[in-house]
Amino acid sequence: MGSSEVSIIPGLQKEEKAAVERRRLHVLKALKKLRIEADEAPVVAVLGSGGGLRAHIACLGVLSEMKEQGLLDAVTYLAGVSGSTWAISSLYTNDGDMEALEADLKHRFTRQEWDLAKSLQKTIQAARSENYSLTDFWAYMVISKQTRELPESHLSNMKKPVEEGTLPYPIFAAIDNDLQPSWQEARAPETWFEFTPHHAGFSALGAFVSITHFGSKFKKGRLVRTHPERDLTFLRGLWRRAVANAKSIGHLIFARLLRLQESSQGEHPPPEDEGGEPEHTWLTEMLENWTRTSLEKQEQPHEDPERKGSLSNLMDFVKKTGICASKWEWGTTHNFLYKHGGIRDKIMSSRKHLHLVDAGLAINTPFPLVLPPTREVHLILSFDFSAGDPFETIRATTDYCRRHKIPFPQVEEAELDLWSKAPASCYILKGETGPVVMHFPLFNIDACGGDIEAWSDTYDTFKLADTYTLDVVVLLLALAKKNVRENKKKILRELMNVAGLYYPKDSARSCCLA
């Protein structure tokens, strides 16, 4: 169990600092195997962008190939947004075993199964919480169907390999949706919220709470009421919300929940909206089937007494979800900074709740979480899994860094426009100060030739998981792996260069890059 107090200190949390220090030893060994000699380990961060199921599968491919090529062991931080968080979290729940992880992925998309009963049970259970929101519904009823898994482990379960330094330190990104106006107006750094195996909080404020107490109730910096640590299924739903067409999906859910409630009460349901989104009919059918099953069980003799409240629980869940949909409420959790005297921002400390959502609504990759000087990152490998312009994240980050005087490579807009018309597989961006950034578009002319648009259409962000057959999954894994493999020499070269930061006289030495 972590500390029951809110921590407000500048710099890294002590647990992260200790874990990163341990990781340095493993990084040095990895560099030596790659024939790069260094007295000190450079800090390398791998970033995965958002992109739904496409990002999940492609990010797994990247991690798998980096492991195969000996590159992952040279990485200090792994950070993700949206769909990439699913892949990164899976790395830790499988103890870094990429072969087992890849085999499990293929198995899940071979059997085309989804544990409906368990998903619904988890959702109804979540609906009993005072902070239930659409994120709970989305996590247990939508994301679990997309990924075909329902992980019940927790971020705190990842501590062991992280603290031993055997795996990179993971950072999972979200944003505070209540601060969206500040983001739109001034790109406020405090909009960003991070999760690690040790803590959750606002890195820009240096304000954190133990990950085991994320969601618990605090007042004036002290724990008031303990709530169980949220599982990975919920967090994956929080990290990856429906970004596009979200409002229409919300209205659809709302209308169909009302329809379900009326039909379960014996009333004649209203006709379906002809303008509804057909790809979500599974949701209506699933809820109606579950209701019929529940009603049939209610009429059976010798019924288990524990089942008597099932219909009541269902109706409470339907009603609560409908209310959340009407208010469009996502990511509700207790604000651990409520009434905290150590926070200058009175608006922040006056809010009883936070509303945390997909960081892709701000920047679709977690640059703001690895750029603070406290993390001392020297090389960033940015893997962009966007289906659209793969340089939008670079544009957005450049703007963010310019506003806050954060060192970041500057690229002319005209050059970015040119690159976006026919993206190559790798771009190396360097500034006078700050980290070197290697940017890897998933769909590029080197791997896809002239078929980039066809690839993008095949792996559209909002395609249903049912369209991801095993062949489609394997093809995407292979593409992501190829992008790493084909750029290994460039990565090694930049690793050698940043290692040279610790060699003011001789610079880092490499025996061979071939």
Side-chain angles (χ1 to χ4, degrees):
M1 185 68 70
S3 170
S4 60
E5 296 185 1
V6 174
S7 170
I8 300 182
I9 59 171
L12 299 183
Q13 297 290 295
K14 62 180 182 180
E15 297 89 352
E16 178 181 344
K17 187 180 294 184
V20 168
E21 192 59 37
R22 282 251 172 107
R23 181 64 179 170
R24 290 183 191 276
L25 301 176
H26 290 267
V27 170
L28 281 172
K29 291 178 182 177
L31 291 177
K32 192 169 185 178
K33 288 181 181 179
L34 294 169
R35 299 186 176 185
I36 298 175
E37 298 290 339
D39 289 341
E40 295 289 341
V43 178
V44 180
V46 169
L47 310 188
S49 80
L53 198 54
R54 177 187 61 252
H56 170 47
I57 296 168
C59 189
L60 281 179
V62 166
L63 296 176
S64 181
E65 191 62 25
M66 288 195 72
K67 182 75 172 177
E68 177 70 20
Q69 298 294 336
L71 297 170
L72 190 60
D73 291 332
V75 172
T76 301
Y77 286 105
L78 277 181
V81 161
S82 198
S84 284
T85 63
W86 305 346
I88 294 172
S89 58
S90 295
L91 174 70
Y92 295 85
T93 56
N94 284 269
D95 297 320
D97 188 341
M98 291 306 308
E99 287 187 12
L101 184 54
E102 198 171 320
D104 177 65
L105 175 73
K106 293 175 181 177
H107 176 67
R108 283 187 277 122
F109 283 88
T110 299
R111 58 189 173 96
Q112 298 279 338
E113 293 177 359
W114 173 47
D115 194 337
L116 162 60
K118 191 173 183 180
S119 292
L120 191 55
Q121 179 187 20
K122 295 283 286 185
T123 314
I124 292 173
Q125 182 180 353
R128 297 171 186 159
S129 166
E130 62 180 302
N131 287 335
Y132 177 77
S133 72
L134 290 179
T135 298
D136 296 271
F137 183 91
W138 187 254
Y140 296 115
M141 299 305 296
V142 180
I143 299 301
S144 70
K145 186 177 191 295
Q146 284 187 324
T147 60
R148 299 190 177 96
E149 58 180 342
L150 200 69
E152 297 183 88
S153 58
H154 304 92
L155 274 180
S156 61
N157 298 142
M158 301 178 185
K159 286 180 180 178
K160 188 174 184 291
V162 168
E163 291 175 349
E164 292 175 348
T166 56
L167 288 176
Y169 198 84
I171 306 171
F172 305 91
I175 60 169
D176 186 342
N177 200 41
D178 295 332
L179 298 183
Q180 274 279 35
S182 297
W183 175 261
Q184 296 298 330
E185 181 181 346
R187 298 294 186 261
E190 57 268 24
T191 307
W192 285 74
F193 194 95
E194 67 179 49
F195 296 82
T196 80
H198 294 107
H199 63 256
F202 299 93
S203 57
L205 300 176
F208 298 97
V209 67
S210 167
I211 191 63
T212 56
H213 287 126
F214 169 73
S216 292
K217 192 171 185 178
F218 286 79
K219 187 175 182 180
K220 297 182 178 180
R222 302 295 296 178
L223 182 63
V224 174
R225 188 190 309 151
T226 301
H227 291 281
E229 182 180 355
R230 299 308 306 260
D231 61 29
L232 271 179
T233 298
F234 170 79
L235 291 177
R236 287 179 175 185
L238 187 154
W239 296 330
R240 193 313 191 220
R241 195 194 90 183
V243 178
N245 296 322
K247 283 275 188 179
S248 61
I249 292 174
H251 293 319
L252 178 65
I253 292 173
F254 179 58
R256 288 179 173 177
L257 285 171
L258 288 177
R259 182 173 183 269
L260 169 63
Q261 187 173 26
E262 291 170 352
S263 62
S264 64
Q265 292 173 345
E267 300 174 13
H268 185 71
E272 287 269 4
D273 260 351
E274 291 185 4
E277 303 224 358
E279 64 265 33
H280 295 282
T281 55
W282 65 269
L283 183 60
T284 304
E285 293 168 4
M286 175 272 296
L287 289 169
E288 289 176 342
N289 289 338
W290 193 88
T291 304
R292 280 197 299 272
T293 302
S294 297
L295 288 169
E296 289 167 4
K297 287 181 178 178
Q298 290 282 335
E299 295 168 0
Q300 289 177 359
H302 312 297
E303 182 188 9
D304 186 336
E306 292 184 3
R307 295 182 183 272
K308 288 184 177 180
S310 61
L311 183 59
S312 174
N313 290 337
L314 174 68
M315 288 301 98
D316 288 343
F317 147 68
V318 169
K319 180 179 179 181
K320 211 164 184 180
T321 304
I323 292 171
C324 290
S326 67
K327 296 193 298 183
W328 200 238
E329 183 175 355
W330 292 81
T332 306
T333 189
H334 288 297
N335 180 13
F336 63 92
L337 295 176
Y338 180 59
K339 298 293 185 182
H340 197 294
I343 296 293
R344 295 180 180 178
D345 187 338
K346 299 306 177 185
I347 295 178
M348 177 69 77
S349 60
S350 67
R351 292 187 292 152
K352 288 187 176 181
H353 296 94
L354 304 175
H355 295 93
L356 303 175
V357 296
D358 188 339
L361 292 168
I363 300 176
N364 201 30
T365 205
F367 276 114
L369 298 184
V370 299
L371 287 172
T374 53
R375 287 196 161 123
E376 300 180 320
V377 175
H378 303 110
L379 175 62
I380 297 174
L381 308 185
S382 165
F383 289 91
D384 194 288
F385 307 122
S386 303
D389 184 351
F391 300 101
E392 185 54 41
T393 53
I394 298 296
R395 288 187 181 88
T397 304
T398 299
D399 178 47
Y400 171 80
C401 291
R402 178 183 56 78
R403 289 171 182 254
H404 301 291
K405 297 180 171 57
I406 300 171
F408 190 78
Q410 298 295 305
V411 185
E412 294 296 328
E413 180 65 30
E415 196 165 17
L416 290 172
D417 288 341
L418 183 63
W419 291 350
S420 65
K421 292 176 181 177
S425 61
C426 176
Y427 295 84
I428 302 173
L429 313 178
K430 298 181 180 182
E432 293 182 6
T433 59
V436 174
V437 175
M438 300 185 74
H439 192 65
F440 304 88
L442 174 63
F443 300 132
N444 58 77
I445 57 173
D446 300 324
C448 306
D451 298 325
I452 291 179
E453 187 174 344
W455 277 87
S456 297
D457 290 343
T458 300
Y459 297 99
D460 183 77
T461 304
F462 297 98
K463 280 197 172 181
L464 286 182
D466 293 341
T467 67
Y468 277 73
T469 62
L470 180 60
D471 290 344
V472 171
V473 169
V474 169
L475 199 60
L476 186 56
L477 279 172
L479 178 70
K481 290 180 178 183
K482 182 179 180 181
N483 284 343
V484 173
R485 193 167 55 251
E486 294 296 315
N487 288 292
K488 181 181 179 180
K489 287 185 179 180
K490 293 179 181 178
I491 295 172
L492 288 175
R493 189 175 298 114
E494 294 309 318
L495 271 173
M496 184 184 68
N497 289 339
V498 295
L501 291 172
Y502 293 97
Y503 284 84
K505 292 183 179 179
D506 301 326
S507 79
R509 301 172 298 280
S510 172
C511 297
C512 179
L513 286 180

